[in-house]
């Protein structure tokens, strides 16, 4: 721990204890606590390091004058100290403990009303409850009662913290009693007396808590509903965490109440109840005293509720829980598919297997406005349904696909496959983009299902209709494209797509590329890019054509559209089109195909965007385009167009105003470095390498050649420029890359005076900066600036020896500064403590010199 | 109150309302869909059209080679196109007092109604309605007269022959009533009968009713009408829009509390959202131009075109269409573009404020200035020298049967690069294209109809709460092709009254009150007496004088001194003129108090019997009955006149006299 901090801390404590004074900001107490917590975590005893804290505690506890914020802090601090047995003992000895944690102490002073104090009390208590002594204190001081009362506190935060603490208490009981029983813990065996007492305490606490849970579980009146909800949540939490003996005890106590709740079927409690049952179900083993079937029966009971909205919710919760009880998931799937069945008339659920009454009720419910949320709920659970075993589903998945397609048609106002159920629902579903989006997501998920045999053609036709429809919202269009990509991705045979369908899709895509809404144009451009990428996944197919070729005429179709989109007035679209162009052209780059005139035009346009575009997105995309080009190119050096443009991209990108553009530029530089120095890893430190090998003449000249190449392409200038950048991530990246370069080209043994490759420094500000750093470093080292020009004339363009510069720039020092976060000074504990101190000072002078604070504030 | 329905077309209505002795025609729309049965009128000789084969029935019995031509499996009449007029036999058109016009699309039949029918009334319309309506009529006449056709086909109309014809011709109704287009002279004469009105201006009709136009938000100067008397209010809602386009927004609040609301002119495209269609229009246009094709937009020369141009104004730069020329070709193109700029007071607030800057309210002025939009009266003349492709052409008529559009269809129809984009909802685009088949040109249907849709109208009706709604029968059931869509119809309580062509409806409300004026001297002579708190009654004796639907009560003139009569006997028989009328009685007889009074007068043996209407008092000693009922009191007392009089006076004590 910082000695300076230790020396200030007593004064800080004084200030805190004495003042009702406000603090610089209300998070400073939290920060202080965090700092103290980190200290304890390092194994240092807080009381030994800062004995003043104990005084502070007793001082504050006795004199309840400071605000509730500081009292809350005090309580938490007490918890922190009492967490260790020694600290606990110290607190006990100076009788702070009883005082601080006695609720009536705070109730008497009226401070208990403040939720922040209650939170402090709860969290302090939770922190302290780490050992058997604390538990005995907890029992003797009878703190369980107030803790139980806080479970349903009016403040949600308090209630939730109290929940967690109660769970913590039970877990502590569990671990302590198991220790006692197993006798593994030496100390407890030695002090057997303590063990017995602890066990008594534990069982007392457990029985009281179970009793409380059981009593408050079933709401006797509607006003108690929130309380029941809270208790159910608590129960879920407990069941997930506790282990067998305790878990059984808990479950046995509440089982009857749970059953009562399940039969009662209260809408607000359905979800939390299902959560409890699922938690119980998953935690129970076969050997438990409570048969798993009992819980299963309760789950079935909930799934048989006659309230459609509730039962759908319960089924959805069960589906989401990924529990593998096959009967229940089959039941849930039936429930979730029922609304789709009714609405679309596709018979997904066997009429005999479902409860006729539920079907009637659900049909009725679907005629009302709530049908939208219910249908969406069913659709969002489709991913779970697709992964279910086929024999557990009430129908083949191809039927589900058909139903979803039929629903999507309904949404468009097309009701050719009308059923009895759909008449009323039509009004709400038609044109509802919410349902459309959910159904699209579902359709997307269904594409992954292995046994979907329905022809791609039908899906394709519907999606094309959606893409063509003038009323489709941009978000729906985007989803349609996504679904299309997903289906194409899994499809093995594109021959089912008729020419007419293909033509329709082409028209639709072409039209959407001219849409008045930029979102639609953006999705279209993105789609073209993604479609070009589908190819790579299907490469194994052999002689089959790429989907983008088979469907849309491939590059010949996409590239002109994308080129047009480079002129788009919306920067997002420009950026997307650049990315899509890269995706579309990647295959030809990989194959090393000759550069076409089209590509030349594109590159020229991209250069324009990089140098002129006012929006960062587009410029970032340009640099990424070159990264993609460079990294996918089989041999970048043999592509003259690429080689020709990289230096310009590097110099423009490095000088950009947007830090992301600069960072991407450095990534491009990194690729060039990788290529020039293929094995940047430093030699094994203990490897014995003959000197001649490292510094062989050939080796050296090759190295120089590479370095020359790197300098010529502007990599080194870009790195230097990045190093002095004011954006930390940029400077950091540049520094790391320069270090790598240094490792590659400056062997530690080489003399400083070697002839070198030099790099031009333009008359720009960053170059001056570099010279300045270099100058100060060489000055401080007492050396002379070898190879570099005299500093005085640095205004004009000059050059600098790369190796010398790399050595003289103190890159390691720079790296260590850059790796620290930029606010590390302000976030240091010392700064925090000083802040608290200074915040208290102006207040003492406030009355005498009212103007002073204002002046201070101005600066 | 009666409504005569002369047109079955829901958006081109023509109804006559008889209300309080006035006969008011509401709109006179002209159903032009009949022209789809005719061959197009080409401006330039078209070898294709002239070579079409004539039609002969399969068995060869009917030969109408000269009149009917066959094209792509359909038969068209080769004659000057004819229109389906509003019904003229249902009532005598000369009895019509006034015609109220709601918008310029709904007045195209005006010359047929006002000319050669004996019509002597007045037509009321707003200024933009009149001016733009005149332009549309002028354009129509011009289109027809430019391409005169000597021949007039009539044989096919023969009932016997028509039955044997194929396709839509067979099912065309009332073909004998179809008429050729009117002449410019008739247009001028008809329009001379128009009297201009402004929004909310009140016009008295014969003192009986007051009519007043309200902004309907659909087009420049478009209006809904209120027709009201002192105690009744009828609203006529036709072609209204709640969207924010160029016209003044719709005035809804003034339509509240109507007894009857006649609802016509809802959107013809309930499933096509205008915004979506506008977007579709733009993207198809851009797509075609980029691919090097031309775009043809068949449209009316006023209305939606202003919005299209405004939309394109914003879109042109976005889509890199800056260099593409836009042509607007119509005999009235110039006037239409100019007129739209001068009707500032009829525009929406946004556009009105521009006028004060001063800037032209519509951005098409700038398009013209920068030479992006050029307008020409016809394809002949200047246009042919300026014409540059690829381009976008706006021209009429949307039916594709006459006007300059026919030329472009013939010119561009053969190339798949070109696109025709339909934006007017009045014609089925497939029917419009029928005589041009086979067609390589792409066709896009983006009907833009900003009129109220069913969702909006049900909200609107909830707001204004009319007692009864009358509407075309088409609105009371879902469209035939989408019979399951219950959301595409009016669902109201009580259900709306549907009408169809030739229907005569008795509107379901009875007039209960009439306003009568009373002269001051007569009023002075009245002696009011209060019968209940707040209600004062007086008897009046007066002479009712009715003139111009105004009713006045005047004092009874003093009878002239009786002329000395020769026969004395007769004078005696005449009741004296000055005899005061008996006072009127009001009030009720309270039973308890009445019994007490009877007792005071010595009548003690009273048996009271309660009946449904009141009480029967049996005076047993006197063998007399008194029936006290709510609206009458009877004393049944045989041969004891003094007792009767006493009893009567006792009853009268409890009643008030006027």
């Amino acid at each position: 721990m910082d000695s300076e901090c230790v020396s200030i801390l007593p004064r800080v404590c004084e200030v805190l204890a004495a003042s009702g004074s406000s603090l610089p900001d209300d998070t400073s107490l939290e920060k202080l606590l965090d700092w103290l917590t980190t200290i304890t975590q390092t194994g240092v005893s807080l009381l030994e390091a800062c004995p003043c804290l104990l005084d502070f505690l007793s001082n504050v506890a006795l004199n309840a004058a400071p605000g509730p914020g500081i009292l809350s802090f005090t309580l938490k601090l007490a918890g922190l100290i009492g967490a260790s047995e020694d600290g606990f003992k110290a607190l006990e000895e100076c009788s702070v403990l009883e005082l601080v944690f006695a609720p009536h102490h705070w109730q008497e002073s009226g401070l208990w009303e403040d939720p922040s104090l209650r939170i402090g009390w709860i969290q302090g208590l939770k922190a302290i409850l780490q050992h058997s002594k604390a538990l005995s204190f907890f029992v003797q001081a009878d703190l369980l009662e107030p803790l139980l009362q806080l479970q349903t506190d009016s403040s949600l935060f308090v209630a939730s913290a109290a929940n967690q603490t109660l769970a913590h208490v039970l877990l502590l009981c569990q671990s302590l009693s198991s220790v006692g029983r197993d006798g593994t813990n030496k100390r407890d065996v030695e002090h057997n007396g303590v063990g017995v007492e602890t066990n008594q305490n534990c069982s007392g606490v457990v029985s009281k808590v179970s009793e409380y849970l059981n009593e408050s579980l079933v709401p006797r009146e509607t006003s108690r509903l929130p309380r029941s909800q809270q208790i159910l949540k608590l129960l879920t939490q407990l069941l997930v965490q506790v282990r067998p003996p305790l878990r059984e005890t808990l479950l046995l106590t509440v089982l009857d109440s749970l059953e009562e709740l399940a039969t009662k079927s209260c809408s607000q409690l359905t979800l939390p109840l299902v959560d409890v049952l699922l938690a119980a179900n998953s935690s129970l083993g076969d050997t438990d005293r409570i048969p798993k079937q009992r819980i299963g029966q309760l789950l079935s009971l909930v799934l048989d509720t006659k309230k459609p909205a509730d039962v759908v919710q319960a089924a959805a919760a069960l589906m989401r829980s990924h529990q593998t009880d096959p009967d229940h998931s089959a039941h849930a799937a039936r429930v979730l598919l029922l609304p789709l069945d009714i609405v679309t008339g596709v018979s997904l659920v066997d009429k005999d297997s479902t409860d006729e009454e539920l079907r009637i009720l659900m049909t009725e419910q679907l005629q009302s406005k709530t049908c939208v949320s219910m249908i969406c709920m069913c659709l969002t659970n489709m991913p779970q349904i697709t992964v279910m075993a086929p024999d557990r589903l009430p129908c083949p998945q191809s039927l589900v696909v058909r139903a979803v397609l039929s629903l999507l048609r309904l949404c468009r106002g097309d009701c050719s496959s009308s059923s009895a159920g759909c008449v009323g629902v039509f009004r709400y579903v038609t044109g509802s983009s919410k349902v459309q989006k959910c159904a699209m997501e579902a359709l997307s998920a269904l594409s992954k299902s292995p046994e979907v045999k329905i022809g791609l053609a039908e899906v394709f036709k519907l999606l094309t209709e959606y893409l063509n429809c003038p009323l489709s919202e941009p978000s729906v269009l985007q989803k349609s494209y996504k679904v299309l990509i997903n289906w194409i991705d899994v499809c093995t045979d594109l021959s089912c797509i008729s020419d007419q369908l293909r033509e329709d899709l082409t028209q639709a895509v072409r039209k959407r590329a001219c849409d008045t809404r930029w979102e639609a144009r953006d999705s279209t451009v993105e789609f073209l890019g993604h479609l070009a990428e589908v190819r790579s996944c299907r490469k194994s197919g052999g002689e089959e054509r790429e989907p983008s070729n088979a469907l849309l005429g491939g590059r010949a179709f996409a590239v002109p559209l994308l080129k047009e989109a480079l002129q788009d007035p919306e920067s997002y679209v420009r950026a997307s089109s650049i990315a899509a162009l890269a995706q579309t052209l990647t295959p030809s780059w990989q194959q090393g195909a000759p550069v076409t005139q089209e590509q030349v035009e594109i590159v020229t346009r991209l250069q324009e965007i990089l140098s002129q575009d006012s929006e960062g997105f587009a410029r970032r995309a340009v640099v990424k385009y070159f990264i993609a080009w460079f990294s996918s190119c089989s041999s970048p050096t043999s592509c003259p167009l690429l080689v020709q443009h990289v230096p310009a991209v590097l110099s423009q990108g490095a000088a950009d105003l947007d830090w992301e553009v600069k960072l991407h530029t450095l990534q491009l530089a990194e690729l060039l470095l990788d290529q020039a120095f293929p094995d940047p890893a430093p030699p094994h430190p203990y490897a014995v390498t003959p000197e001649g090998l490292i510094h062989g003449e050939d080796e050296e000249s090759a190295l120089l050649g590479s370095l020359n190449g790197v300098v010529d392409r502007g990599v080194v200038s870009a790195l230097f420029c990045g190093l002095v950048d004011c954006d930390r991530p940029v400077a950091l990246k540049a520094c790391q890359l320069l270090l790598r370069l240094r490792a590659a080209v400056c062997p530690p043994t080489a003399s400083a005076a070697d002839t070198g490759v030099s790099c031009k420094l333009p008359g720009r500000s960053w170059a001056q900066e570099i010279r300045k750093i270099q100058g100060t470093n060489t000055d401080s080292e007492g050396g002379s600036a070898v190879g570099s020009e005299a500093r005085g004339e640095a205004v004009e363009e000059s050059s600098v020896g790369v190796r010398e510069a790399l050595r003289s720039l103190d890159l390691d020092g720079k790296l260590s500064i850059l790796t620290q976060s930029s606010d590390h000074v302000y976030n240091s504990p010392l700064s925090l403590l000083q802040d608290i101190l200074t915040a208290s000072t102006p207040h003492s002078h406030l009355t005498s010199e009212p103007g002073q604070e204002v002046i201070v504030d101005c600066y | 109150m009666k409504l005569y329905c002369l047109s079955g077309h829901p958006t081109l209505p023509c109804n006559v309302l008889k209300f309080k002795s006035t006969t008011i025609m509401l709109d006179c729309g002209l159903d032009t869909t009949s022209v789809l049965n005719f061959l197009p009128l080409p401006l330039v000789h078209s070898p294709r059209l002239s070579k079409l084969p004539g039609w002969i029935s399969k068995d060869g019995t009917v030969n109408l080679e000269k009149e009917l031509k066959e094209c792509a499996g359909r038969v068209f009449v080769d004659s000057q196109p004819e229109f389906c007029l509003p019904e003229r036999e249902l009532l005598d058109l000369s009895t019509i007092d006034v015609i109220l016009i709601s918008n310029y699309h709904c007045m195209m039949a005006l010359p047929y109604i006002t000319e050669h029918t004996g019509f002597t009334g007045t037509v009321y319309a707003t200024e933009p309605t009149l001016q733009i309506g005149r332009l549309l009529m002028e354009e129509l006449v011009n289109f027809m007269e430019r391409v005169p056709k000597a021949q007039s086909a009539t044989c096919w109309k023969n009932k016997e022959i028509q039955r044997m014809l194929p396709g839509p011709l067979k099912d065309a109704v009332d073909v004998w009533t179809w008429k050729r287009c009117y002449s410019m002279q008739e247009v001028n004469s008809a329009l001379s009968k128009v009297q201009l009105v402004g929004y909310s201006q009140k016009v008295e009709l014969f003192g009986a009713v007051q009519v007043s136009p309200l902004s309907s938000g659909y087009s420049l100067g478009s209006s809904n009408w209120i027709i009201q008397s002192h105690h009744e209010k009828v609203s006529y809602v036709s072609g209204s829009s709640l969207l924010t386009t160029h016209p003044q927004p719709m005035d809804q609040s003034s339509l509240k509390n109507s007894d009857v609301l006649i609802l016509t002119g809802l959107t013809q495209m309930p499933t096509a959202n205008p915004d979506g269609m506008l977007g579709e229009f733009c993207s198809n246009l851009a797509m075609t131009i980029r691919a090097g094709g031309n775009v043809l937009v068949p449209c009316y020369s006023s209305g939606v075109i202003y919005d299209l141009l405004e939309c394109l104004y914003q879109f042109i730069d976005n889509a890199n269409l800056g260099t593409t020329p836009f042509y607007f070709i119509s005999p009235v193109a110039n006037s239409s573009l100019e007129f739209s700029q001068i009707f500032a007071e009829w525009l929406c607030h946004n556009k009105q404020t521009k006028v004060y800057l001063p800037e032209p309210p519509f951005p098409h002025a700038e398009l013209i200035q920068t030479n992006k939009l050029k307008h020409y009266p016809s394809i002949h003349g200047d246009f042919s020298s300026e014409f540059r492709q690829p381009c976008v052409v706006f021209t009429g008529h949307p039916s594709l049967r006459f006007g300059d559009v026919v030329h472009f269809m013939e010119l561009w129809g053969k190339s798949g690069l070109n696109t025709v984009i339909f934006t007017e909802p009045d014609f089925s685009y497939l029917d419009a294209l029928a005589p041009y088949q086979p067609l390589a040109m792409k066709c896009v249907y983006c009907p833009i109809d900003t009129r109220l849709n069913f969702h909006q109208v049900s909200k609107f009706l909830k707001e204004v709460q009319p007692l009864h709604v009358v509407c075309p029968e088409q609105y009371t059931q879902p469209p035939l092709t989408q019979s399951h869509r219950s959301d595409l119809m009016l669902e109201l309580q009580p259900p709306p009254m549907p009408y169809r062509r030739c229907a005569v409806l008795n509107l379901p409300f009875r007039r209960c009150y009439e306003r009568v004026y009373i002269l001051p001297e007569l009023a002075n002579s009245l002696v009011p007496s209060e019968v209940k708190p707040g209600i004062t009654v007086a008897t009046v004796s007066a002479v009712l004088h009715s003139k111009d639907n105004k009713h006045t009560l005047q004092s009874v003139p003093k009878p002239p001194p009786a002329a000395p009569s020769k026969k004395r006997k007769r004078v005696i028989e005449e009741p004296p003129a000055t005899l005061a009328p008996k006072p009127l009685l009001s009030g009720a007889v309270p039973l308890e108090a009445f019994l007490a009074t009877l007792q005071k007068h010595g009548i003690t043996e009273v048996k009271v019997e309660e009946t449904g209407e009141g009480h029967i008092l049996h005076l047993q000693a006197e063998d007399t009955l008194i029936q006290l009922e709510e609206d009458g009191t009877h004393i049944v007392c045989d041969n004891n006149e003094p007792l009767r009089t006493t009893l009567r006076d006792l009853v009268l004590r409890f009643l008030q006299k006027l």
Side-chain angles (χ1 to χ4, degrees), chain A residues 413 415 426-427 430 468 470-471 507 510-516 564 567 569, chain B residues 271 273 276-277 279-280 282-284 286-287 290 315 318 320 484-486 491:
Chain A
C415 192
F426 208 91
R427 179 180 296 253
T430 306
N468 236 328
L471 302 180
Q507 283 302 321
R510 207 171 257 157
K511 185 169 83 186
R512 290 292 160 223
C514 302
D515 205 283
T516 44
E564 195 83 51
Q567 320 271 354
Chain B
T271 55
N273 160 10
M277 288 301 149
E280 188 77 353
C282 288
S283 38
N284 277 297
M287 190 168 85
R290 279 189 194 175
F315 182 67
N318 276 4
N320 301 320
H484 50 273
R485 296 212 44 180
S486 56
E491 272 179 313

Side-chain angles (χ1 to χ4, degrees), chain A residues 654-797:
Chain A
D656 204 282
L657 291 176
D658 183 291
W659 72 269
E660 281 192 60
V661 174
K662 290 184 283 200
L663 203 60
H664 291 320
T665 310
L666 292 178
Q667 279 165 4
L668 180 61
E670 187 175 16
L671 287 177
L672 285 152
L673 279 185
D674 285 348
Q675 194 212 16
F677 307 103
D679 184 21
H684 194 276
Y686 303 119
V688 185
T689 25
E691 286 215 345
L693 261 181
I694 309 173
H695 293 293
E697 288 284 310
D698 300 345
E699 197 76 29
E700 175 69 13
S701 67
L703 206 58
L704 280 180
S706 299
L707 185 58
N708 247 328
V710 168
V711 170
D712 286 347
R713 293 197 191 139
V715 176
V716 176
S717 318
L719 294 182
F720 281 153
C721 178
L723 184 68
V724 295
D725 200 279
C726 49
D727 284 310
R728 200 172 59 90
V730 178
L732 180 62
K733 179 85 185 170
C735 189
Q736 285 164 341
L737 292 179
L738 282 171
L739 278 168
R740 262 184 56 190
L741 183 64
R742 193 180 70 181
V745 301
C746 304
T749 50
S751 68
D754 51 3
T755 56
V757 181
S758 59
C759 166
K760 278 188 181 160
L761 291 184
R764 291 195 209 139
S765 56
W766 66 264
Q768 288 172 29
E769 194 80 18
I770 288 285
R771 273 185 219 103
K772 219 163 84 189
I773 302 170
Q774 215 185 351
T776 50
N777 283 340
T778 45
D779 276 354
S780 63
E781 283 160 17
S784 58
V786 185
S788 68
E789 258 64 27
R791 270 160 281 141
E793 23 180 293
V795 191
E796 292 115 44
E797 188 171 304

